[in-house]
Amino acid sequence: MNNTYWTQQQGDENHLPANNGANGVPKSGGLLRNYKSMPPMPQPQGWPSHPEPQGSLRSSPVSPLPQSQPLAQPPQLPQLSQPAPFPQGQPDWPPQQGGRSPSLFSNAMDTMRRWSGKVVAARTGNVDQDPLVLYRPGAPEPIKRKPWRRSHAVRVSMQMRRRRERWVHARPNTKKVFTITLSVFAILLVVLLSSGFAWAFAYYQSEFPQVQGLANQQISQSTRIYDRSGKLLHVSYDGRFGRSTPVIYNYIPGVMQDAMIAAEDHTFWDNSGVDPQGILRAATEYLSSGSVQSGGSTITQQVVKNLTGNTQVSLQRKLPEAALAIGLTQQYPKWKILEMYFNASAFGAQELGVDAAAEDYFGLHSQCDSNFKCVPAIAFLDRDLKTCKNIADLTTCKENSLLALARASLLAGMPQDPVNYDPTVNPSVNMPNAFARQDYVLNQMLSLNDGINLGLGDQVKDSQLGPITPDLINQVEALTRTIKFTGFHNIKNDAHFVDWIIPIVENALGNGDTQLGVQLFSTGGFNIRTTIDSNLETFIENNVRHHLHDKEYQIFVGDYGPLSTVHNVNDSAVVVMNAKTGEILAMDGSAKYDNIKDPTVAGNVNVATSLRAPGSSFKPIVYATAFQMGWYPGIVLPDRETFFPNGQPATLDVHAKDATYHPFDYGQTYHNLNSNILLDIANSFNVPAIKALEFAGQENVLKMARRFGITDIDQDAVNYTLAYDKQYHVKTQFTTQQILGPSFALGAYDVSLLQMVGAYQVFANQGMRVPPQGVLDIWDNYGHHLYHYDTKNPPAARIISPQIAYLMSSMLSNNDARAIEFAPDTVLTTQDWDRRPVAAKTGTTEGYQDNWTIGYTPDIVVGVWSGNANGDLMKNVVGISGAAPIWHDALEYASGKCYPAGAFPGNWSPCNDFNFPPDTFNPPPGVIQQSVNTVNGLAGSGYVSWMLNNDIPVTSGLSSGTGTGNGTPTPSPTP
């Protein structure tokens, strides 16, 4: 067949795109000519269809098409039912003109076309020479129908076209790849955003209580400890966050607010919690300057970041942060969010919140009333400290608008990089950084046309300087460079007392949970007014050093010392207690707190709470127990050599070592006097005290000691058990009573000075015990009164009767009775002042290891220990020389005596705030004076003794051969 057939079948040729040669002559048509313009052949049913993108130009290796001439969509071919008969003859084929030379494949196609019957066969004799004359046989021949079949060339063409389609579908398609990639990315983004916002909502719900807590001012806050008059002793804070005192919005100056907003969030008052323009601005500034000038996060977002502590730079943080910021904006007004920002942001290396920075950088301080309702330091941002009439009252300082702007603009730059902008840390590097940041803040305020508003909170107080100008900026920056940044100096006044009171408060806050208590104390923002009087404490600290290191005459030993060099007394501890309320008025735990290199001082070790053997100062507990059981001061207990059982077999020689216990008095001797208990305790005789212990019973004395608050003996028993097990490699469990022996009466078992002072408080307070108190009031940082100790109604408990307490006081205050051992030393009296009665008892342990003096008036109790922190032995010094001089001065000063400046080295207030009256020890009802005999102290005459009215002896206890027992008391020998 020829192309005439196809022409007839296609109909109107105008449906086909023109495909002319270069000379405009139409190219001859053929099955393979212009095959690219033909529609694709239908594929067998069930094959996958590969639609070709509209308008695409597939380049063919067989017949390339010009890329600049896109093909029009070819018309659809009509479906053929069967092939039509081929016409006879062969038309002339016009030669191809113009265009490109036929390629190898196109020549092959032409050849195939000629060989397929579309060309004229060679003329032979058997061929009709007139092809235009149709052949008409004489008789019709039967028509032999054959199945129609495409020519070989057509089949090859179709196969090649399908192959090319497969190649096209198989090769990468840029547009398709881009479309698929974009779709996948969009899906992932949708999933990510959905999950992110879902997580953000869930996160917001979970964190909302914490956000509420922050808005309710529950952030990490510094705890401050004050003395009883309000003097700051110590600031305690969590080192992870820094020092912090939150402030309310109403105290934040307007200029501080404006500077902060200019530095961090221009649209703060209007945005919804996020600021897209701010993000773009931050990126632009970063690209132009090469460093971060302002963050893209809003102030609200920064509040969220500071609250959560999540500083990771990632999309996973930013998305929830933005959602939480929007929610926070919906929940709270803008002023509250700004308040939260000022409190939760770091303004320095250890300054959490703007108020701490105002204190540390500029030396400002808060103004508080007696109930700790305070005006914070930041409220005085405009006050010039150089102009103050009273530096303690910042309201007396003059205002300075430029100084306020200088301080505010410097502070506003800090939160972006608190550590590297802190001018008190590495000043040579950080100060230039801080000044450069301040310049940025000021120029931002300039761009916002800000002025200097000195009003607090939402108040407006114009500085009358107008809007900020470049000239004003220059003045402010010059002023800033003249500021001397004070920095934070962590004070710890009255350090041993502070170290003692902190664990007590922590234990109370944690309700026994130590870890919780520590956390609450360091982050709770408490203002603790303690019982200590800092003036008294300062006097005692200086007085201790004076008596240890300065020369003074010691009557008992007959030299001038000093104690530290001559007698090896290097350390002392002092406790002063209010006898009626239990308030600790002073606590000095060592000779010098910061002397930690000298082991004999070990300055930071609080000996006032450490366990030491109290020596003879424990004897009043023994005698009080005996008085409880019917004895009285007139009972005669001779001071003679006596051998007491020591748990050894009775067959041993009593003089053998460790066979018995037979202690000496001071000087390794006995007085050999038929003395009564009054003389025994006044002169600290040892043998009578052990006899009293044997009478009362060790168990009863131990119980009495515990009732007096002495529980350290039980801890000493634990320590003894541990040492015993370590030495002998055994596992034992001794009870306290099992380790006690006759030496218990002489104070051989360790007790702290604090507990001994607490025990003497029972005697001073007529038998009523009030546990040691260290805290008077606790407020939070907002003036809420959380705790108050009612000094008018102390938690007193009856330990002994007033009558027995008086019996003890009558003995310990009898200075004449001490004459046997201590005359003419009057250090245990107030004869050099107003002669008010005082009761006192000294103590010295074996080998001169510990010196004690504890005494009291009806109002205060004072206890002193002297020795060496490491246990080194002193040299020939007893309690009346090593401890009593310190005790004497501390008791008189605490009672109201003034010591003129220069009385001894140091810096203290000449007079104390206390002024206790010279009360006396008055005998209560039920106590009488009764004559007793000098032999055993029972009925008779010779001694006059105080006793309970129901303890009057009715018999002398003497046989007829010993006389009546009447006579004079034992004379007091000259020491």
Side-chain angles (χ1 to χ4, degrees), residues 351-429:
E351 287 78 19
L352 178 63
V354 71
D355 198 61
E359 292 179 347
D360 294 351
Y361 298 158
F362 312 129
L364 303 174
H365 55 82
S366 59
Q367 301 282 127
C368 302
D369 63 13
S370 59
N371 291 321
F372 282 91
K373 293 183 178 180
C374 303
V375 178
I378 191 65
F380 302 101
L381 201 62
D382 61 338
R383 300 306 171 107
D384 187 349
L385 300 183
K386 298 177 182 178
T387 64
C388 298
K389 297 179 180 179
N390 178 8
I391 192 62
D393 184 3
L394 298 187
T395 61
T396 65
C397 308
K398 292 183 179 179
E399 297 179 356
N400 188 328
S401 301
L402 288 181
L403 184 60
L405 179 59
R407 290 169 171 171
S409 57
L410 187 74
L411 291 175
M414 295 293 166
Q416 187 197 71
D417 195 351
V419 175
N420 292 321
Y421 289 154
D422 188 335
T424 65
V425 178
N426 193 12
S428 61
V429 176

Side-chain angles (χ1 to χ4, degrees), residues 522-542:
S522 61
T523 63
F526 301 105
N527 293 287
I528 303 172
R529 187 168 75 94
T530 63
T531 59
I532 197 168
D533 183 83
S534 194
N535 288 336
L536 174 61
E537 176 70 22
T538 301
F539 173 87
I540 289 175
E541 290 176 3
N542 285 275

Side-chain angles (χ1 to χ4, degrees), residues 17 131 154 199 328 369 383 389 516 538 585 599 771 795 842 864 893 921:
V154 173
W199 183 85
L328 196 65
D369 63 13
R383 300 306 171 107
K389 297 179 180 179
L516 176 61
T538 301
L585 304 179
T842 62
V864 177
Y893 185 82
F921 300 107

Side-chain angles (χ1 to χ4, degrees), residues 50-58 70-74 168-169 173 175-176:
H50 302 282
E52 184 176 347
Q54 184 175 358
S56 65
L57 298 179
R58 294 178 298 175
L71 300 179
Q73 182 67 32
V168 170
H169 287 296
N173 187 301
K175 185 175 181 181
K176 182 181 297 185

Side-chain angles (χ1 to χ4, degrees), residues 663-707:
F664 297 99
D665 291 334
Y666 171 72
Q668 302 292 306
T669 186
Y670 303 97
H671 291 84
N672 295 314
L673 299 174
N674 204 46
S675 53
N676 58 19
I677 292 178
L678 169 61
L679 296 177
D680 292 335
I681 193 171
N683 295 277
S684 202
F685 297 159
N686 288 334
V687 170
I690 299 176
K691 291 179 179 178
L693 175 70
E694 297 297 323
F695 166 75
Q698 292 182 4
E699 183 178 0
N700 290 330
V701 173
L702 177 60
K703 290 180 179 179
M704 179 67 77
R706 288 169 176 165
R707 292 178 63 188

Side-chain angles (χ1 to χ4, degrees), residues 857-877:
T857 69
D859 298 300
I860 60 172
V861 186
V862 179
V864 177
W865 167 92
S866 292
N868 293 297
N870 60 352
D872 283 356
L873 300 181
M874 297 175 288
K875 298 177 182 178
N876 190 32
V877 62

Side-chain angles (χ1 to χ4, degrees), residues 373-513:
K373 293 183 178 180
C374 303
V375 178
I378 191 65
F380 302 101
L381 201 62
D382 61 338
R383 300 306 171 107
D384 187 349
L385 300 183
K386 298 177 182 178
T387 64
C388 298
K389 297 179 180 179
N390 178 8
I391 192 62
D393 184 3
L394 298 187
T395 61
T396 65
C397 308
K398 292 183 179 179
E399 297 179 356
N400 188 328
S401 301
L402 288 181
L403 184 60
L405 179 59
R407 290 169 171 171
S409 57
L410 187 74
L411 291 175
M414 295 293 166
Q416 187 197 71
D417 195 351
V419 175
N420 292 321
Y421 289 154
D422 188 335
T424 65
V425 178
N426 193 12
S428 61
V429 176
N430 284 8
M431 286 181 66
N433 294 339
F435 294 155
R437 178 64 177 169
Q438 180 193 35
D439 180 71
Y440 168 80
V441 175
L442 289 169
N443 280 280
Q444 291 298 308
M445 297 180 73
L446 174 65
S447 67
L448 295 175
N449 199 34
D450 284 337
I452 306 177
N453 177 16
L454 301 180
L456 301 181
D458 59 358
Q459 302 299 311
V460 176
K461 183 180 179 181
D462 191 2
S463 65
Q464 304 301 322
L465 295 178
I468 296 174
T469 63
D471 180 63
L472 203 61
I473 290 177
N474 293 333
Q475 295 180 50
V476 167
E477 291 180 349
L479 178 60
T480 304
R481 283 158 176 77
T482 66
I483 296 176
K484 293 183 179 180
F485 300 102
T486 59
F488 176 75
H489 301 286
N490 193 4
I491 64 171
K492 198 174 189 181
N493 296 322
D494 309 343
H496 291 106
F497 174 82
V498 169
D499 289 344
W500 172 71
I501 201 63
I502 287 177
I504 294 176
V505 177
E506 289 175 343
N507 185 67
L509 291 173
N511 195 24
D513 186 334

